[in-house]
């Protein structure tokens, strides 16, 4: 890979010669401007306003336009005298946890390649120190005419640097969030959670640019004089009137798309819904409790039956005693009458 900048990493008193290499590349398809009458290329010509003639790249330099319109020429020699320690040095100023970096600050990404055999030892030392500390290095460097902020981290066995925006370059999200009061129900959050769980995770390596692929098909068809591919029907738009119904449909569709053939399918679980009704007990403990309750009721019923039986017996015995007493009473009266006669 071709380096775009040569310099050194300043790590305390350690200096590590490095080469800056682009870590990303664009695969997007670009178009040329053409004359629609004859497909002729439309080009931009650089013309000097003073001489009113086209000039070549070798004649073009840099200049700063002052407030009154005066142009102040700035040469590469002038830029080499910038009073900056970061003109040819990536100066590490701090080491911080990675989660301290706001992703909004992330900019271009680069690889830092060791600049020759002498740089191998300090390069490896910095890499291993970053690995063991689980931190990233915050650095300042100058590139393309301005000082920049960067973050160094380990990627595989290499050190990568992400350009960072300065904190004052990140705008606050004022006026972005809805300014109306919205109430979110627990059932809606439950369905949103279920949808997130159903969609699950994805290997980013499996994702690809479908727009570019479709564009390549159109270009290939045009070049060969073939039939252009048909565009799919546009998705139905409109407002979502029932959020719960939309969430339930989304969960159902996601589960159907993630379902696999029988024998190795994904497990589909019911939607977790919060219920306000009292929970029902189950399992061995609840069965045991039910048995104990039934036993108590049976025992209580038996006691009641026993008491009723005993009461009935006592009542019957009392009646028998009363009858016997009633029979004996007249006999005693007859005997006393005979004695008195």
């Amino acid at each position: 890979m071709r380096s775009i900048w040569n310099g050194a990493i300043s790590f305390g008193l350690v200096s590590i010669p490095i080469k800056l290499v682009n870590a990303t590349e664009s695969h997007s398809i670009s178009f040329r401007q053409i004359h629609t009458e004859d497909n002729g290329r439309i080009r931009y010509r650089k013309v000097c306003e003073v001489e009113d003639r086209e000039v070549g790249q070798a004649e073009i330099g840099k200049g700063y336009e002052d407030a009154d319109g005066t142009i102040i020429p700035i040469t590469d020699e002038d830029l080499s005298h910038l009073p900056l320690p970061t003109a040819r040095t990536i100066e590490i100023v701090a080491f911080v946890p990675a989660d301290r970096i706001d992703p909004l600050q992330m900019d271009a990404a680069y690889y830092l390649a060791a600049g020759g055999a002498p740089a191998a030892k300090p390069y490896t030392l910095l890499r291993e120190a970053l690995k063991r500390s689980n931190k990233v290095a915050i650095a300042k460097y100058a590139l393309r005419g301005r000082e920049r902020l960067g973050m160094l981290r380990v990627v595989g066995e290499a050190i990568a640097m992400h350009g960072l925006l300065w904190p004052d370059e990140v705008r606050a999200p004022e006026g972005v969030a809805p300014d109306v009061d919205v109430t979110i129900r627990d059932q809606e959050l439950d369905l949103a959670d279920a949808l997130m769980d159903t969609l699950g995770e994805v290997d980013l390596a499996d994702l690809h640019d479908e727009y570019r692929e479709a564009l390549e098909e159109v270009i290939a068809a045009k070049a060969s004089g073939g039939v252009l591919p048909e565009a799919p029907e546009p998705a139905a738009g409109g407002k979502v009137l029932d959020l719960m119904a939309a969430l339930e449909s989304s969960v159902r569709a996601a589960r159907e798309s993630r379902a696999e053939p029988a024998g190795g399918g994904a497990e589909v679980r019911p939607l977790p819904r919060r219920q306000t009704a009292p929970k029902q007990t189950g399992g061995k403990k609840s069965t045991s409790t039910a048995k104990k309750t039934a036993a108590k009721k049976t025992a209580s019923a038996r006691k009641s039956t026993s008491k009723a039986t005993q009461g009935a017996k006592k009542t019957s015995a009392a009646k028998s005693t009363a009858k016997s007493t009633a029979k004996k009473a007249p006999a005693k009266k007859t005997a006393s009458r005979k004695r008195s006669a």
Side-chain angles (χ1 to χ4, degrees), residues 63-82:
Y64 174 79
E65 185 175 1
D66 208 350
D68 59 359
T70 303
I71 300 296
I72 303 172
I74 300 294
T75 65
D76 291 340
E77 179 66 18
D78 296 330
L79 294 177
S80 66
H81 292 285
L82 287 174

Side-chain angles (χ1 to χ4, degrees), residues 227-256:
V227 180
L228 295 179
E230 293 185 4
E233 291 294 330
K239 297 181 180 179
V240 178
L241 300 179
D242 189 341
L243 182 58
M244 287 290 291
L247 284 171
E248 289 174 348
S249 299
S250 299
V251 172
R252 193 180 307 112
R255 284 177 172 169
E256 290 175 356

